[in-house]
């Protein structure tokens, strides 16, 4: 087939592709990761590009683009294919959410609440490094090289047996002799055995890193952990590049069915590799010094990471290929750390409650608490764990990503430029921007605030509909009404909340609340029996509890009961990386937790419908009665870099 | 670099190589495996080829070829490189020993003595196949596919846990649904865990094969084992193609140092793959139905198989990379069985006493015998085990391959056309040829007979030198005297024993005898304390004990004490394949056996010198005093194909 050359502007990236290749794919091949909510169905309009030169096929005739846009050469990349050499501009809006988060932004993803974890785990990293000075062989002391190393390493780390894989075996004789038999062994803890992964010359035990990863449907976060002092050296985050195949897991499963799981796998593996390179490079760490990686994510993300088939997760009875994948060599799936470094996946609970929740239970110690505790993790889905040291129930509610700031027109990640707080001061609607820059968009916490403020000021009614003439900032483009929070006149971008955005947010909060209510009722309790409520996940680091209750997202509990615990997915992964005891505990947690399928619940639809109002059809459920000591804001201070974590001793 | 095209005759195989490539390598690339004793040093003269057309470089000027040969275009392939397009003939002598053994011949390698093994092992194959009919998942029975299979498989085979590797994991959802959840699981027994290797649709448990391999320095033998009825379906053998890099392990290690271990590895892997294809194809077995392979060989052969560095084995203090390699995926080294089939290597005892001897100890039950027992395994080296249920001592004597029929001018494997027996009848020297064909060469047992006959008839003296005028068949070519056993006039080839051959045989037998004597003396015993003497290895299936004692190869023990036990290397490997209990026992044997280094013995050289006579300087050691019931011949009947082996129950 004929090929042609494409240049993407403004980054000036060239790529040669076959005629007929879609623009989205071409951009991906050029290394440009783009946004797409619908997964290439031509309905979300997120993937606008501008044809500057050269012919393309399709793209304009979808009914989403205005005539003006079409006359400007704007096309939907997912509906457009390449006809010949061309120059294509990718506007800021199409790209912006996909840039890698800077260190400053990533800090926000690093937020973990050190006080939450109840129990301490023995320090026993999944990969151990130990320096060995071996006796040189003689005619009388002539055991084979591998045995010499294995025996010494077993003594040094206190294990009874150790196996060496073929790759390490080949190195051993050379490394021993080139280094006067002074070497450092890397030992991996597999489920039933230990493996000698690597042998380096000299004493390199002082440099030992592992990576822990939270694979969210929207956001991928990597922490680089110094195994020796157990600190998080640095962190990095980016949007999950799979977004090009859809915002939600279902769209991605459908994309995998059409285009192959390998495509989805390549995207997430590339994201992780990019984040690893960035975070390691910035801290003078070689990738080869990273001897293991622990990934925590929902079941579908874990499947894509490993390249496992997902199609049966999507259809009743929703069966995963595996929710407890074995440790692998990271290289087997293309993760670029030490070539024989290990990859561990945190075990999940069911097809719809993944390893990120197992991590959450471990990190919050929910499974060891006497008092009944609820953990709500809102990411692209909303997962809820209810239980205590005696029983645990898990469920998953399909929310869409609105509460993360995605599937909202001006939504963005809780990074620099995001409006994270909206409030009323002197009867004026005011806002706060992360990084004190001009606004670029609005993140989850800001959206919740804004909705509460709009409700408070009767700009929207209890069904979320704009009230005509209620406020000058309410305007209409065609049939679509929106509230313009910032008009873009001071730099940055216009930030508005549309009627459709509000519907998305209400749907999301209704799904979460209905699920929480059903869970509590299923065990014959009421919300007042819930002693702790932990909020985890992609909300943004700060959330106004009063506003969250006001819009009916959270149940009406005293502020002292509600804690924002940050990214417990990555916190659990870090505990596992530093302690095989913690990973073992995760396997136990996974077995002790019962999955409750909301679709099997008769009253879920009914409860959901009741929650589709602000805050709820039953207003009594949300009568705010805060005591004076209640702080409006629940949150936590981002963990400073290089702070020792006390949970592993 | 310029390339040119070579055609090898008479097989008419073409290959394109770079100008300057050696003829040996070119032939190897054309898929023709050749013989070379010296490993390409230009001293053995085994690799003669005839240049029929086109120029070559070098080859003629080594002093080994006669002027007549040079005028005929004969060159030494190892000293010749390609200059341009050429046609090269490979004479029969250069090729013949390398042909794959036919089934009829391979039968001889299959010889194992069923009665020898003392104990029975529990049937517990290293790879098990079990058919499972699983419940189809429902909303209430919704465990992940991998868990469903793992739980059912654990129940079916009675194990507590099972892990699934990434490759099998990817298959599971598809295989389950395409086969109505009726599947067959292949489960591999690793050292500390079990792995789900493969999942096939339907019930395929009726077809389950493993391969067992004896990797000898000279000969490679593959048995195809039906795991279900524990029979050997068929066998196949060939010369080890590494011979092109030298007859002895030391030459091959040097070749690996020069040309890379990968070259040596490729040759043995190719040999095994060729044998596997042949034996499987002939019996209607698909390679994918072979789910595991157990290899038994000396330590250097095992290193080459796995691609491990060997250079430190060759130099004091003679250290192996590993003598207990872990189980691997056979695919990791290119062995073509089921893509996720396992490869096990029988653990060795030291750098110079390998897994073939561990196999031998297990197969003969030496380690469980009350009486002191000696096992002599003569292949390209001579290894000796002395011991009983309380102690075991192992040593290795460097013999050269003369007793296998190699490093003897007309020597050949104990196959069709080999003179296997030489005797005196009516004062005439007579012989017996395997397959009753015209003689093509002489194998180990024939050589031992011939030497005894020549000594008996005073054709050679006690130092092995030809006695002038003693027999008309003694003739001389230049300085080299030889005894012409068959003149080639009735078809086949001339078979002679040269003065140099005799020296090689005497050196070999002296090395074995001196080692055996030192071993016995080291534990303050004498030969009369040895209750059983087992002979294993490449002697050929039949050996005349009287003659072996007459030439001083074996100590003078009653015939009833000496048993030829055949290929115990492969027999041990088969026991391991069918019973993980047997493999565990091998690990125990390996730990219980002490390696005794003959080079560390003060009197080895002295003992060796004394044994360099026929039979020995001390004739009293060999005064034959056979009772009437002694049979001259010790040997065993080849095990019939498809005979159930009783040792595994």
């Amino acid at each position: 087939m004929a090929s042609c050359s494409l240049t993407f502007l403004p980054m000036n990236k060239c790529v040669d592709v076959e005629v007929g290749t879609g623009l989205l794919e071409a951009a991906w091949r050029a290394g440009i990761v783009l946004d797409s909510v619908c997964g290439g169905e031509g309905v979300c309009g997120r993937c606008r590009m501008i044809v500057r030169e050269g012919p393309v096929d399709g793209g304009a005739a979808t009914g989403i683009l205005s005539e003006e846009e079409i006359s400007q050469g704007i096309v939907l990349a997912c509906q457009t294919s390449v006809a010949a050499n061309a120059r294509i501009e990718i506007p800021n809006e199409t790209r912006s959410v996909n840039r890698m988060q800077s260190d400053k932004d990533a800090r926000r993803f690093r937020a973990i609440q050190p006080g939450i974890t109840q129990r301490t785990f023995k320090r026993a990293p999944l990969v151990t490094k130990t320096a060995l000075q071996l006796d040189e062989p003689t005619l009388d002391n002539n055991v084979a090289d591998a045995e010499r190393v294995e025996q010494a390493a077993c003594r040094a780390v206190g294990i009874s047996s150790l196996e060496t894989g073929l790759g390490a075996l080949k190195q051993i004789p050379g490394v021993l002799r080139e280094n006067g038999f002074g070497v450092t062994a890397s030992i991996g803890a597999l489920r039933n055995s230990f493996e000698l992964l690597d042998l380096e010359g000299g004493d390199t035990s002082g440099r030992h890193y592992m990576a822990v990863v939270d694979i969210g449907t929207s956001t991928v976060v990597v922490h680089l952990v110094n195994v020796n002092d157990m600190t998080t050296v640095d962190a990095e985050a980016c949007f999950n590049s799979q977004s090009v195949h859809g915002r939600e897991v279902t769209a991605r499963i459908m994309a995998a069915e059409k285009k192959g799981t390998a495509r989805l796998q390549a995207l997430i593996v590339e994201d992780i590799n990019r984040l690893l390179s960035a975070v390691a490079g910035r801290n003078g760490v070689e990738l080869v010094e990273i001897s293991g990686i622990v990934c925590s994510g929902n079941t579908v993300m874990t499947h894509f990471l490993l390249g496992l088939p997902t199609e049966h997760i999507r259809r009743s009875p929703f069966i995963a290929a595996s929710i407890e994948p074995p440790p692998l060599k990271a290289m087997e799936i293309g993760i670029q750390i030490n070539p024989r470094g290990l990859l561990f996946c945190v075990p999940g609970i069911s097809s719809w409650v993944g390893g990120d929740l197992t991590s959450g239970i471990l990190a919050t110690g929910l499974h060891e608490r006497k008092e009944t505790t609820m953990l709500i993790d809102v990411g692209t889905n909303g997962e809820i764990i209810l239980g205590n040291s005696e029983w645990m129930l898990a469920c998953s509610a399909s929310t869409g990503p609105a509460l993360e700031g995605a599937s909202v027109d001006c939504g963005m990640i809780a990074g620099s430029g995001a409006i994270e707080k909206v409030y009323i001061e002197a009867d004026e609607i005011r806002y706060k921007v992360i990084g004190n820059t001009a606004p670029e968009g609005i993140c989850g916490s800001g959206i919740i605030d804004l909705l509460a403020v709009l409700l408070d000021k009767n700009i929207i009614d209890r069904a979320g509909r704009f009230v005509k003439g209620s406020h000058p900032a309410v305007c209409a483009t065609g049939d679509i009404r929106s509230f313009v929070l910032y008009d873009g006149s001071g730099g940055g971008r216009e930030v508005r909340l549309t009627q459709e955005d509000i519907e998305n947010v209400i749907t999301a909060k209704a799904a979460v609340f209905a699920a929480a209510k059903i869970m509590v009722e299923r065990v014959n309790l009421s919300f007042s029996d819930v002693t702790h409520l932990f909020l985890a996940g992609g909300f943004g680091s700060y959330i106004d509890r009063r506003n969250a209750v006001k819009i009916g997202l959270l149940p009406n509990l005293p502020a002292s009961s509600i804690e924002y615990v940050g990214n417990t997915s990555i916190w659990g992964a870090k505990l596992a990386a530093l302690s095989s005891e913690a990973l073992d505990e995760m396997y136990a947690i996974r077995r002790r937790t019962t999955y409750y399928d909301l679709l099997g619940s008769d009253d879920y639809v009914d409860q959901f419908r009741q929650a589709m109002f602000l805050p709820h059809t039953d207003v009594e459920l949300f009568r705010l009665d805060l005591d004076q000591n209640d702080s409006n804001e629940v949150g936590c201070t981002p963990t400073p870099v290089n702070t020792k974590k006390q949970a592993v001793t």
Side-chain angles (χ1 to χ4, degrees), chain A residues 224-517:
Chain A
L224 181 66
V225 176
N226 180 333
V227 178
N228 288 319
D229 64 10
M230 300 194 288
T231 56
T232 297
V233 177
D234 202 349
E236 190 66 84
C238 69
F239 273 97
N240 187 328
S241 298
Q242 291 173 344
S243 301
V244 73
H245 293 298
R247 277 281 189 208
E248 298 191 63
V249 293
T250 312
R252 295 199 201 155
I253 294 176
M254 287 161 71
E257 286 172 37
K258 260 191 235 164
K259 295 165 191 173
T261 305
R263 176 87 52 103
L264 281 290
Q265 183 182 27
L267 288 169
I268 183 62
V269 167
E270 239 173 62
D271 281 348
I272 294 173
N273 282 338
R274 216 155 19 101
L275 294 169
L276 282 170
S277 286
V279 79
R282 199 159 63 212
N283 292 280
V285 172
E286 302 283 336
L287 291 176
V288 79
E289 294 176 313
I290 304 175
S291 58
I293 182 167
V294 182
C295 294
S296 173
N298 68 52
T299 303
V300 175
M301 290 305 114
T302 305
H303 275 56
F304 284 143
L305 177 70
L306 302 183
L308 301 179
T310 48
E311 63 258 44
H312 308 295
I313 297 184
R314 184 164 78 83
R315 297 186 182 90
S316 179
F318 315 109
I319 304 298
S322 171
I323 57 169
E324 196 174 312
L328 305 171
K329 295 279 189 303
M331 195 180 61
E332 282 186 71
I333 59 160
I335 296 284
Q336 285 157 9
I337 56 171
N338 184 301
R340 283 187 294 279
L342 294 180
L343 168 83
F344 297 86
C345 292
V346 172
I349 288 160
S350 77
S351 290
W352 296 108
V353 180
D356 45 349
L357 270 290
T358 314
S359 279
I361 294 172
L362 184 85
T364 57
L366 188 148
H367 64 300
E368 293 181 324
R369 289 176 185 265
K370 288 237 154 56
E371 323 82 40
T372 300
T373 303
M374 182 177 272
L375 170 66
I376 302 185
D377 187 341
V378 178
T380 307
N381 260 16
E383 287 113 4
I384 299 173
I385 309 287
L386 180 69
N388 54 36
S389 58
E390 301 200 342
W391 54 270
M392 284 183 287
L393 212 58
C395 79
S396 171
S398 180
T399 58
L403 296 171
E404 288 188 293
S407 84
V408 164
D409 198 37
C410 297
M412 67 177 284
I413 207 165
S416 177
I419 293 175
E420 61 165 346
K421 206 165 169 50
V422 183
Y423 54 101
I424 297 171
E425 198 175 74
D427 211 36
E428 289 290 311
I429 298 176
R430 300 190 184 276
Y431 54 81
K432 217 182 117 205
V433 181
I434 297 177
N436 293 318
T437 65
E440 295 280 343
I442 186 164
C443 69
S445 59
I447 292 168
I448 290 167
D449 284 353
L450 179 54
L451 213 60
V453 163
L454 295 179
L455 188 65
D456 253 3
K457 296 193 75 73
N458 294 315
I459 299 169
I460 54 173
D461 62 18
R462 283 189 52 222
R465 285 179 304 250
F466 283 108
V467 177
K468 266 187 196 170
S470 56
H471 193 280
V474 178
C475 60
T477 316
D479 285 347
I480 304 164
R481 289 192 174 182
S482 53
F483 181 85
V484 180
L485 184 58
Y486 170 63
D487 64 5
S489 57
R493 289 201 280 167
E494 187 193 67
V495 179
R496 58 167 72 214
L497 198 69
T498 67
Q499 187 66 66
E500 200 184 333
D501 293 341
I502 294 173
E503 281 161 22
N504 286 338
V505 176
I506 292 178
T507 304
K509 76 95 196 169
V512 171
F513 183 80
K517 190 148 181 287

Side-chain angles (χ1 to χ4, degrees), chain A residues 11-63:
Chain A
M11 59 288 274
N12 227 15
K13 282 200 177 174
C14 290
V15 65
D16 288 333
V17 295
E18 283 185 358
V19 168
T21 303
L23 271 190
L24 269 191
E25 177 168 339
W28 180 68
R29 291 191 182 204
I32 304 163
V33 183
L34 297 168
D35 198 17
S36 152
V37 173
C38 64
E41 300 291 330
V43 296
C44 73
R46 286 266 176 162
C47 60
R48 282 168 166 82
M49 293 189 187
I50 310 166
V51 180
R52 290 299 180 202
E53 257 180 67
V56 296
D57 288 331
T62 65

Side-chain angles (χ1 to χ4, degrees), chain A residues 55-295:
Chain A
V56 296
D57 288 331
T62 65
I64 287 207
L65 300 174
S66 68
E67 279 188 23
E68 195 194 340
E69 286 179 312
I70 293 172
S71 71
Q72 288 165 0
I74 293 177
V75 296
L76 294 183
C78 71
Q79 301 298 305
T80 308
S81 60
V82 180
N85 294 355
R87 290 166 70 82
I88 309 287
E89 182 179 330
I90 306 181
N92 240 348
E93 309 86 80
T94 307
R95 277 184 299 130
S96 60
V97 294
N98 290 292
R99 73 181 189 286
M100 192 179 295
Q101 298 294 312
S102 74
D103 181 26
K104 194 156 124 279
D105 295 340
R107 225 170 255 260
R108 302 182 66 88
F109 292 100
R110 222 162 22 197
I112 38 180
Q113 189 79 309
I116 296 297
T117 305
Q118 302 247 298
R119 111 140 208 259
T120 59
F121 295 99
K122 197 183 113 207
R123 183 179 183 280
L126 291 175
V127 181
T128 309
K129 257 175 124 167
T130 184
L132 305 168
Q133 182 58 55
L134 305 169
D135 294 332
E136 297 208 13
T138 62
L139 281 171
D140 294 324
N141 175 359
N142 60 359
V143 297
D145 289 334
E147 284 193 292
R148 183 176 301 274
V149 174
E150 286 163 7
Q151 288 168 2
C154 282
R155 274 195 304 272
V157 301
I159 55 177
S160 62
S161 75
L162 182 60
E163 268 186 51
T164 306
L166 190 55
L169 216 46
K170 286 183 183 178
Q171 301 181 302
I172 289 180
V175 173
L176 287 179
R177 285 166 186 80
E178 284 154 22
N179 297 281
F181 288 80
V183 291
T184 299
S186 294
I187 299 164
L190 303 179
R191 290 202 63 179
N192 299 293
S193 57
F194 293 90
E195 181 177 334
L196 179 67
L197 301 173
D198 198 12
L199 198 71
E200 295 172 302
D203 182 354
T204 64
S205 61
R207 293 187 65 78
H208 184 200
Y209 300 90
M210 288 181 75
V212 293
V213 185
D214 168 41
I215 308 177
T217 307
S218 303
T219 314
V220 185
V221 187
V222 166
H223 284 200
L224 181 66
V225 176
N226 180 333
V227 178
N228 288 319
D229 64 10
M230 300 194 288
T231 56
T232 297
V233 177
D234 202 349
E236 190 66 84
C238 69
F239 273 97
N240 187 328
S241 298
Q242 291 173 344
S243 301
V244 73
H245 293 298
R247 277 281 189 208
E248 298 191 63
V249 293
T250 312
R252 295 199 201 155
I253 294 176
M254 287 161 71
E257 286 172 37
K258 260 191 235 164
K259 295 165 191 173
T261 305
R263 176 87 52 103
L264 281 290
Q265 183 182 27
L267 288 169
I268 183 62
V269 167
E270 239 173 62
D271 281 348
I272 294 173
N273 282 338
R274 216 155 19 101
L275 294 169
L276 282 170
S277 286
V279 79
R282 199 159 63 212
N283 292 280
V285 172
E286 302 283 336
L287 291 176
V288 79
E289 294 176 313
I290 304 175
S291 58
I293 182 167
V294 182
C295 294

Side-chain angles (χ1 to χ4, degrees), chain A residues 598-641:
Chain A
L598 290 173
L599 295 181
S601 164
D602 295 338
D603 53 350
Y604 181 64
V605 174
D606 191 42
Q607 290 280 6
F608 176 70
R609 274 200 201 117
Q610 289 183 39
M612 281 292 285
F613 283 80
L614 294 171
H616 197 270
T617 46
D618 180 4
V619 192
E620 288 304 310
L621 275 172
F622 290 88
R623 191 160 301 281
L624 281 173
D625 189 25
L626 303 175
D627 54 49
Q628 284 302 78
N629 294 331
D630 264 16
S631 153
N632 281 345
E633 216 169 61
V634 289
C636 66
T637 317
T639 311
V641 174

Side-chain angles (χ1 to χ4, degrees), chain A residues 366 452 516 544 591:
Chain A
L366 188 148
D544 188 292
R591 282 184 172 67

